[in-house]
Amino acid sequence: MATKTDRLSAKELSEECDMSRPTVSRRVTRLVEQGLLEEYTHVDPGGRHYSE
């Protein structure tokens, strides 16, 4: 499982799993809602926020 040890963005996860980003986003949202994944907000050095 790609997220077992690393925090990944939707882009990274889509590349790892060879899936489209919209599909990854929908599935991740469902897994987070069910408590099976945790979502974290990351702030990069430029001040941009994104979820992992």
Side-chain angles (χ1 to χ4, degrees):
M1 177 187 268
T3 61
K4 189 167 185 166
T5 58
D6 296 322
R7 293 181 185 174
L8 301 173
S9 67
K11 178 182 178 192
E12 293 166 328
L13 191 55
S14 70
E15 291 169 356
E16 179 77 23
C17 298
D18 194 29
M19 297 168 63
S20 72
R21 284 171 52 180
T23 297
V24 167
S25 293
R26 283 192 308 273
R27 291 184 181 182
V28 165
T29 297
R30 289 196 339 220
L31 292 170
V32 168
E33 289 171 350
Q34 294 175 11
L36 299 172
L37 279 182
E38 292 183 24
E39 187 173 29
Y40 298 91
T41 300
H42 176 80
V43 181
D44 70 14
R48 294 179 296 186
H49 295 73
Y50 64 92
S51 296
E52 298 179 316

